[in-house]
Amino acid sequence: MYKIFKVEDKKKRAVAWWLIAGVIMIIVQTLLGGVTRLTGSGLSITKWNPLFGILPPLNARQWNEAFDGYKQIGQFKYLNSDYTLADFKSIFFWEWLHRFWARMLGIVFAAGFVFFLVRNYFDKQMIRQFIILFVLGGLQGLIGWVMVASGLNDSHLYVDHIKLALHFISAMILACYTLWFALQLLIPHEKRAPDKKLHNYTLLIILLLFVQLTYGAFMAGLKAAMAAPTWPLINGMFVPDSLTHNSLISDKINVHFIHRGMAYLLLALLIFGFVSASRSARRYNTSILIATRWWPLLLVALQVTLGIITVLCAPMIVPGKFGTFEILAELHQMVAMFLLMSLVVNLYVVGSTTPTPS
């Protein structure tokens, strides 16, 4: 009987680490999306060909056809009309790489699923979870195309910032679900701390962080950094005059205010959460929580710092160049994703009910 359970544990660990590899690939994919946005490359591929679009143009005729497609949209006509074919190739690369990585992600999940299924590594519950995972993955790809399509017209220079946020948030939901799935296989129930209050508190922080991530995507989609490259005040104001009469999701200054305010709120809540997690770790003598309680606190401090520096470096933006601001923006996005993943780990570790042996 002992040997049987050891084999099952090895099977679960193998599946779990495969899922974690998938989470890492999702994070890389999201970062590539950030580079695509920062380089202005997102609208360079004007067709959606999920099955046969894996190869870039391979000859002069194909390159000219792709470039002609880009010339039909507003971004070329009103922003990049001076682009040569060489310029187009430089932005095409990042969008192609973003889509190529998405296809590789799908292949890794599909091939791994078939491999583990044939080797009988799954139980019925895991099959149901994988169905949800594949549905979320397919939905993410569809949302991505809807986002791109919002900018493929004669009247828009960029994709719609709300659809950009939806694309980003759906990627984060997929990453969180995949990580949670892996944690169920990696961490035994008896190693979790049954602290329902801390569980609910952590869940609240995650929900607030999703709001913050949404506003971060609004900042990116609206290219709002240059609207208020100041700190701690927003262009000399603590509370902007536009707050009461302009949109809270489309006005650049209002988006700034909410994004910054949420950052300060999350920092305060996570300091208190660290204290609560420390008490819970001592109470239940949970070695995993003793380690993981530090992650959100350190990451949120780094995230706030990066956010401030990124905003202050906004005047350094040079169109068409990937410089200091763009590197900081990518780091800011990466740490935000790590913060979210760390909170998911802590949410799982502090189970809401008394753990029972599996």
Side-chain angles (χ1 to χ4, degrees):
M1 182 67 70
Y2 174 79
K3 290 183 178 180
I4 292 175
F5 280 109
K6 288 296 288 183
V7 170
E8 288 300 317
D9 287 343
K10 288 180 180 179
K11 288 182 176 180
K12 287 182 178 181
R13 282 198 297 271
V15 174
W17 286 112
W18 165 59
L19 290 169
I20 288 176
V23 173
I24 294 171
M25 289 189 72
I26 293 170
I27 290 173
V28 172
Q29 169 70 354
T30 307
L31 290 173
L32 286 173
V35 174
T36 300
R37 179 187 58 78
L38 289 165
T39 55
S41 306
L43 298 178
S44 58
I45 301 179
T46 56
K47 295 181 180 179
W48 191 42
N49 193 345
L51 294 179
F52 301 105
I54 192 169
L55 294 176
L58 299 176
N59 53 54
R61 180 184 60 81
Q62 292 177 349
W63 273 115
N64 284 318
E65 287 178 355
F67 193 20
D68 286 341
Y70 181 63
K71 290 177 179 178
Q72 305 307 309
I73 66 173
Q75 187 179 86
F76 174 82
K77 294 178 181 178
Y78 308 118
L79 188 65
N80 296 328
S81 59
D82 59 336
Y83 268 26
T84 64
L85 181 59
D87 296 321
F88 172 72
K89 287 181 177 180
S90 68
I91 63 170
F92 184 98
F93 169 77
W94 288 111
E95 176 64 7
W96 172 82
L97 182 60
H98 183 52
R99 297 192 190 193
F100 175 81
W101 192 265
R103 291 182 174 94
M104 293 302 101
L105 182 58
I107 290 172
V108 167
F109 273 113
F113 177 80
V114 172
F115 174 81
F116 288 123
L117 181 65
V118 170
R119 294 176 66 89
N120 198 30
Y121 274 46
F122 301 147
D123 56 31
K124 290 183 179 179
Q125 176 62 27
M126 291 167 69
I127 294 292
R128 287 193 289 269
Q129 288 175 288
F130 272 112
I131 291 173
I132 296 173
L133 189 151
F134 284 120
V135 169
L136 289 174
L139 185 62
Q140 167 66 2
L142 179 60
I143 292 173
W145 174 246
V146 170
M147 177 199 69
V148 171
S150 69
L152 297 178
N153 52 62
D154 200 50
S155 56
H156 291 87
L157 300 182
Y158 304 103
V159 300
D160 180 79
H161 72 285
I162 295 175
K163 292 176 181 176
L164 173 68
L166 181 60
H167 185 47
F168 175 57
I169 293 301
S170 63
M172 292 302 94
I173 291 173
L174 175 61
C176 289
Y177 180 83
T178 307
L179 178 58
W180 188 271
F181 191 175
L183 292 171
Q184 290 177 317
L185 303 176
L186 275 178
I187 301 178
H189 286 284
E190 61 270 16
K191 292 188 177 181
R192 301 168 69 188
D195 192 330
K196 186 174 182 178
K197 288 185 178 179
L198 183 56
H199 179 90
N200 292 339
Y201 184 81
T202 306
L203 180 60
L204 173 64
I205 292 177
I206 289 175
L207 293 175
L208 290 174
L209 180 56
F210 266 103
V211 175
Q212 171 70 336
L213 293 174
T214 300
Y215 269 86
F218 288 167
M219 285 280 294
L222 292 169
K223 301 186 182 301
M226 275 295 291
T230 60
W231 186 84
L233 300 180
I234 301 175
N235 293 341
M237 299 176 288
F238 181 75
V239 179
D241 296 336
S242 59
L243 190 64
T244 57
H245 56 271
N246 287 355
S247 170
L248 297 180
I249 62 174
S250 297
D251 181 86
K252 294 180 181 181
I253 298 299
N254 287 348
V255 168
H256 255 281
F257 176 76
I258 295 172
H259 189 55
R260 295 189 192 192
M262 289 294 298
Y264 303 144
L265 175 61
L266 284 166
L267 177 61
L269 290 175
L270 282 168
I271 291 173
F272 181 79
F274 171 76
V275 174
S276 299
S278 298
R279 292 172 181 168
S280 184
R282 290 194 297 269
R283 183 185 310 127
Y284 297 104
N285 193 28
T286 307
S287 59
I288 297 177
L289 184 58
I290 289 173
T292 62
R293 66 196 169 103
W294 284 97
W295 299 354
L297 180 64
L298 296 175
L299 287 167
V300 75
L302 178 59
Q303 176 67 353
V304 171
T305 302
L306 279 171
I308 293 169
I309 297 172
T310 303
V311 164
L312 292 177
C313 288
M316 300 172 66
I317 295 175
V318 177
K321 301 293 183 181
F322 198 90
T324 301
F325 172 83
E326 288 76 15
I327 293 171
L328 288 168
E330 278 289 276
L331 289 173
H332 187 53
Q333 183 182 43
M334 182 179 70
V335 174
M337 292 188 285
F338 286 162
L339 173 59
L340 177 60
M341 297 303 110
S342 73
L343 284 167
V344 170
V345 171
N346 277 271
L347 181 68
Y348 184 81
V349 171
V350 288
S352 62
T353 58
T354 303
T356 55
S358 56

